[in-house]
Amino acid sequence: MTVSAIPHHIAIVMDGNGRWATRRCLPRVAGHKKGVDALRACVRHCAERGVGVLTVFAFSSENWNRPPEEVSGLMELLAVALSREVPHLKAEGVRIHFIGDRSGLSEKVRAGLAAAEAATAANTSLVFNICFSYGGRWDVAQAAARLAARGEPITEQSLDAAMALAHVPDPDLLIRTGGEMRLSNFLLWQAAYAELYFTDKLWPEFGPAELDAALADYAGRERRFGRTSQQLQPPAPRKAA
């Protein structure tokens, strides 16, 4: 039994912006700007292909340790992208969720994230989760802390419901660009049964053709969820008496 040709939920580690810029003797922020262009095309292509949920890793908990000028440039780029992109996403029916720890963000940035979510709250064509100041371990910890504060038992089901991405099903396909083969603290809980796809393409180079290649690879996978291939086969038709 092969999977549906199109995954309902795609997650992406958008890696390689800095290397793309360095290879062209440009500042790393220039790579992040080019990455925004690639993301815009990816969102549109996912919607055209019938994907229901797109989750991207935009800024990790660990990225705060990068050079201050790069972090500052990313924050500025976020502000510009919000003002420029949100109206287009709203018109295209995309609903935005920002996932992550907002405590370290400025009040201006937090207000911008909330405004983007409110502006697109009624949209239904594609759920677009942007993981910003996010880490998979943070997500598990905050979910456990939330349950403990409410005095609720911590079970697999209750923890799952308290996760930051509880509003969407787990990802079917997780893509990482840039040639690295690790999760880097992304969706550690949710990716338990995701199909993994790695490509050497740097994120600014990852266009619709590359996404289609990942979808084609996914379509050939068999998802067993712990069962055998034989268990997934439809029962043989009964012979007429």
Side-chain angles (χ1 to χ4, degrees):
M1 173 180 168
T2 57
V3 299
S4 170
I6 300 297
H8 177 72
H9 183 176
I10 296 177
I12 305 178
V13 180
M14 305 181 295
D15 192 20
N17 289 340
R19 280 175 285 158
W20 181 91
T22 300
R23 291 175 185 178
R24 290 160 177 78
C25 300
L26 297 170
R28 290 176 61 86
V29 170
H32 296 307
K33 290 179 179 178
K34 192 70 174 178
V36 171
D37 295 337
L39 180 55
R40 183 189 306 114
C42 182
V43 171
R44 184 171 295 113
H45 199 58
C46 281
E48 291 173 352
R49 286 289 182 265
V51 174
V53 182
L54 173 64
T55 300
V56 299
F57 206 7
F59 189 82
S60 74
S61 304
E62 293 74 26
N63 286 158
W64 288 108
N65 298 318
R66 290 192 174 186
E69 62 273 13
E70 182 175 353
V71 173
S72 176
L74 283 167
M75 294 301 155
E76 182 179 343
L77 180 60
L78 174 62
V80 172
L82 285 173
S83 62
R84 186 180 65 185
E85 303 295 340
V86 170
H88 297 293
L89 293 172
K90 179 180 179 181
E92 293 169 5
V94 176
R95 181 172 186 178
I96 302 172
H97 290 271
F98 284 94
I99 311 300
D101 182 5
R102 303 188 189 187
S103 63
L105 303 177
S106 70
E107 184 176 343
K108 180 180 179 180
V109 170
R110 291 199 301 269
L113 303 188
E117 290 176 329
T120 61
N123 288 349
T124 58
S125 68
L126 174 72
V127 176
F128 182 28
N129 299 310
I130 303 170
C131 293
F132 198 89
S133 190
Y134 171 88
R137 290 179 175 178
W138 164 85
D139 198 2
V140 174
Q142 68 82 28
R146 186 184 304 179
L147 293 173
R150 297 197 298 243
E152 297 181 19
I154 297 177
T155 66
E156 186 173 328
Q157 291 73 26
S158 66
L159 199 60
D160 188 65
M163 287 287 179
L165 281 163
H167 60 284
V168 293
D170 289 344
D172 303 294
L173 172 65
L174 192 153
I175 299 169
R176 177 164 186 153
T177 64
E180 305 290 356
M181 296 186 182
R182 57 177 178 267
L183 293 181
S184 294
N185 200 20
F186 182 50
L187 304 185
L188 298 182
W189 177 273
Q190 296 87 349
Y193 273 99
E195 298 296 320
L196 305 181
Y197 179 87
F198 301 100
T199 173
D200 290 332
K201 288 284 187 180
L202 302 178
W203 176 246
E205 303 166 340
F206 190 85
E210 287 71 32
L211 180 57
D212 281 343
L215 294 178
D217 183 86
Y218 171 85
R221 307 277 185 101
E222 181 182 72
R223 307 188 73 195
R224 296 188 296 274
F225 298 98
R227 292 171 291 177
T228 67
S229 296
Q230 288 72 23
Q231 287 177 296
L232 299 178
Q233 298 300 319
R238 291 186 176 182
K239 294 182 179 180

